[in-house]
Amino acid sequence: MLKKILAMLLAFVMMLSLTACGGNKPTDKPAEPDDDGNRQERVTEEPKETEEPEETEEPERDKFDEFKQTATIEETILYDDKDIVITAKDLTYEYSGVTLNVQLENNRDEDLEFSSGSCNSVNGYTLSVGNLYCDVASGKKTNEEMYFSYDEMRLHGIYELAELGLQFTVEDYSDFKAETDFVILKTSAFDSYTFNPNGFQDAVTSNAAKNELDYSVDFFGTEELYNSSGIRLVSQTMISEDNGMMLYLEFVNDSRDTILININRIALNGLVVNSSYLAESEPIRPSTHRAVTVNLSPWHEEEYRGVLGITEIGSVSFDLILENTIYDVVDKERVNVNFSDASASFDNTGIEAYNDHGIRLVFKGFAKDPYGLTDRISALFIVENTGEEGLIVGFEGEYVSINELLSGAYGNSQILLNGEFALLDIEITNELDISDFSEITGLEFELVIQDENYSQISEPTISVQF
């Protein structure tokens, strides 16, 4: 996955082979003594050999079907304009993916940069595949490869190449830029292929995907939670894996234009945990599906949830912001994904550290890096907007004072509408080598409060004593 949490690392199935060995060790039988000439026959039973239990083979787990490696293409000119020629040559099937071999030709007077991959599609699904990035000198041509991972495609229910949707950007280092139209490159399998609009839903919930990619499905829903401007949100899948918890949001583009999907202001159980854009915009081509990945790490981790009083994640909400290709906002709407009917919330009580200018700040506690990768300490606060307008609240500066000693730190800013709650996470680099939170007797830092236009309202010093 993460940018693309759809771009995920595979855990291949390991088959266990068990070998059995065994047998009976021979024993020497002692001679029988004489009984005054009257021998009493003794009947002795040979001990029965105990049979070793038959070892049963571990049942083979479901796994992805093999990707068909038979589709071919004819050599096709994809673009021929402005002294630039892009030609699809052929397909090469490899162990883990298929390569589209292309020839790039630069007949211009300046060196050019060719790129592709931000919104290519396969069989009706916009994917992060076929990435291309290379320089071609003036008057030269080069042969390049565009790679399509089998597992990225199979996670979307694609087991054979029927069509490739391709687009290229060509630019120099001054002011020239050419963006090709989307070109549909059909393969020899196109006429016989059955396109499955539920391919992603069928695949992501299958035992094959769960086994090979080593994750579990915590929630799956197909309620249409959004339908506007030609974009529909048609399925939601929550998964857990070693790297954390992720939410897949499957969108469909019924419009005639490429739309950029942005996820912002993510909240767990109504607590905003991230006010920044989740990642770069996710483009979705017309007449295609796209699964956008929302990474919920580290906020779902037990280390954080325990401090925040989140016993279970009952809902995830976010601002869905749609833009056109020149970044004009097309639509914006708050979307809520409910995972259960049970009420799930968070604990907003704690040590009140500030209450002014429409902002109430409550200290919740400290948390260590949930992954154990660093020595950092997180000071966790809950911010409440008690005012009548949207506010931006964030950590100011590069240091905090712990026990009156400076330590490096950095923190996030949160955008809160009236009545909303948000997490303020100040990550402390722990230069003081604190191993036990009980060693901390005081914490001090600068807070900045701004309005929605980023005009400063206040810059208070926050001091918390323990």
Side-chain angles (χ1 to χ4, degrees):
M1 193 101 121
L2 51 189
K3 167 185 172 184
K4 317 298 177 220
I5 166 4
L6 290 177
M8 302 164 58
L9 295 177
L10 300 178
F12 289 100
V13 179
M14 299 177 62
M15 297 299 296
L16 302 177
S17 60
L18 303 175
T19 56
C21 61
N24 294 322
K25 182 179 179 180
T27 57
D28 293 332
K29 183 179 178 180
E32 296 180 5
D34 293 336
D35 281 347
D36 297 330
N38 297 321
R39 293 180 59 87
Q40 182 180 3
E41 292 186 8
R42 296 182 175 91
V43 179
T44 60
E45 293 185 1
E46 288 289 341
K48 294 182 179 180
E49 293 186 4
T50 58
E51 295 183 358
E52 293 287 340
E54 293 185 5
E55 297 192 4
T56 58
E57 293 184 1
E58 183 178 326
E60 185 175 350
R61 301 196 302 172
D62 292 340
K63 57 184 181 180
F64 283 136
D65 292 340
E66 292 297 323
F67 195 92
K68 295 182 180 179
Q69 303 182 7
T70 55
T72 59
I73 63 167
E74 296 181 357
E75 183 171 313
T76 305
I77 294 177
L78 304 175
Y79 182 78
D80 186 358
D81 194 14
K82 301 178 182 178
D83 295 323
I84 299 166
V85 182
I86 302 175
T87 305
K89 303 292 285 185
D90 56 21
L91 297 173
T92 302
Y93 291 93
E94 303 171 20
Y95 175 73
S96 59
V98 57
T99 296
L100 171 65
N101 299 295
V102 296
Q103 185 178 85
L104 311 176
E105 187 174 347
N106 177 11
N107 297 314
R108 295 179 63 85
D109 294 333
E110 64 271 12
D111 297 343
L112 294 176
E113 176 187 274
F114 290 72
S115 61
S116 182
S118 62
C119 56
N120 291 333
S121 67
V122 181
N123 296 10
Y125 283 88
T126 301
L127 306 176
S128 298
V129 290
N131 292 303
L132 173 73
Y133 184 86
C134 70
D135 295 326
V136 182
S138 173
K140 300 295 183 181
K141 64 177 67 174
T142 181
N143 294 318
E144 298 294 332
E145 298 179 344
M146 301 175 69
Y147 178 77
F148 298 79
S149 163
Y150 292 147
D151 289 311
E152 177 74 8
M153 291 186 286
R154 289 188 290 193
L155 183 61
H156 293 76
I158 299 170
Y159 293 88
E160 184 179 22
L161 277 185
E163 67 170 31
L164 296 175
L166 305 170
Q167 186 178 35
F168 298 83
T169 299
V170 186
E171 53 192 328
D172 64 7
Y173 297 95
S174 56
D175 58 354
F176 173 78
K177 182 175 182 179
E179 191 167 73
T180 72
D181 292 333
F182 284 106
V183 179
I184 298 297
L185 180 63
K186 297 180 181 180
T187 75
S188 59
F190 180 84
D191 291 335
S192 60
Y193 186 82
T194 301
F195 290 82
N196 181 9
N198 297 322
F200 174 76
Q201 298 174 27
D202 295 341
V204 75
T205 57
S206 69
N207 289 331
K210 288 185 283 187
N211 290 338
E212 292 211 20
L213 302 179
D214 196 18
Y215 66 81
S216 61
V217 174
D218 303 317
F219 172 82
F220 174 70
T222 56
E223 182 181 356
E224 193 171 280
L225 298 179
Y226 177 83
N227 187 343
S228 182
S229 304
I231 301 296
R232 294 182 290 127
L233 172 55
V234 297
S235 78
Q236 313 86 40
T237 310
M238 177 77 83
I239 73 165
S240 295
E241 58 164 8
D242 289 342
N243 294 328
M245 182 178 287
M246 289 183 290
L247 175 63
Y248 287 138
L249 302 171
E250 183 190 5
F251 293 89
V252 179
N253 186 353
D254 295 325
S255 76
R256 297 181 179 181
D257 302 312
T258 297
I259 296 295
L260 307 181
I261 298 172
N262 298 281
I263 305 295
N264 192 18
R265 296 195 341 109
I266 303 167
L268 305 183
N269 297 356
L271 176 66
V272 177
V273 294
N274 183 12
S275 286
S276 302
Y277 282 123
L278 181 67
E280 296 179 11
S281 300
E282 300 273 10
I284 180 170
R285 283 195 53 237
S287 304
T288 67
H289 293 233
R290 179 151 205 167
V292 174
T293 307
V294 179
N295 191 342
L296 299 180
S297 302
W299 312 293
H300 77 284
E301 295 290 346
E302 194 171 321
E303 186 79 20
Y304 277 62
R305 289 171 54 183
V307 175
L308 300 173
I310 298 177
T311 56
E312 65 173 322
I313 299 177
S315 68
V316 173
S317 52
F318 53 88
D319 288 346
L320 174 61
I321 304 171
L322 304 182
E323 298 174 326
N324 58 26
T325 53
I326 58 174
Y327 304 104
D328 294 327
V329 174
V330 175
D331 193 26
K332 178 179 178 179
E333 185 173 315
R334 190 74 178 168
V335 177
N336 188 67
V337 183
N338 287 315
F339 302 133
S340 68
D341 295 330
S343 175
S345 60
F346 57 92
D347 181 9
N348 61 4
T349 63
I351 301 174
E352 184 173 278
Y354 181 81
N355 193 345
D356 200 2
H357 295 97
I359 288 296
R360 181 172 182 264
L361 185 68
V362 173
F363 175 73
K364 292 297 300 177
F366 295 101
K368 295 180 180 179
D369 179 357
Y371 305 110
L373 301 177
T374 67
D375 293 329
R376 70 172 174 83
I377 297 172
S378 284
L380 302 180
F381 293 80
I382 287 182
V383 185
E384 179 185 2
N385 182 353
T386 62
E388 298 180 355
E389 58 182 10
L391 295 172
I392 302 171
V393 181
F395 170 73
E396 179 76 3
E398 299 177 354
Y399 298 94
V400 298
S401 173
I402 298 180
N403 302 345
E404 299 184 348
L405 297 173
L406 291 180
S407 183
Y410 53 95
N412 61 335
S413 293
Q414 299 285 25
I415 303 172
L416 297 91
L417 303 181
N418 180 34
E420 286 188 330
F421 293 83
L423 170 66
L424 182 64
D425 182 356
I426 301 176
E427 297 188 11
I428 304 167
T429 56
N430 197 15
E431 297 167 18
L432 306 180
D433 196 24
I434 295 172
S435 58
D436 191 329
F437 295 150
S438 64
E439 300 175 26
I440 303 176
T441 59
L443 175 67
E444 189 173 288
F445 61 93
E446 299 296 323
L447 189 73
V448 61
I449 303 172
Q450 300 170 309
D451 63 21
E452 290 181 301
N453 297 317
Y454 295 92
S455 296
Q456 186 163 305
I457 296 174
S458 180
E459 192 175 347
T461 297
I462 306 298
S463 181
V464 187
Q465 302 300 316
F466 311 103

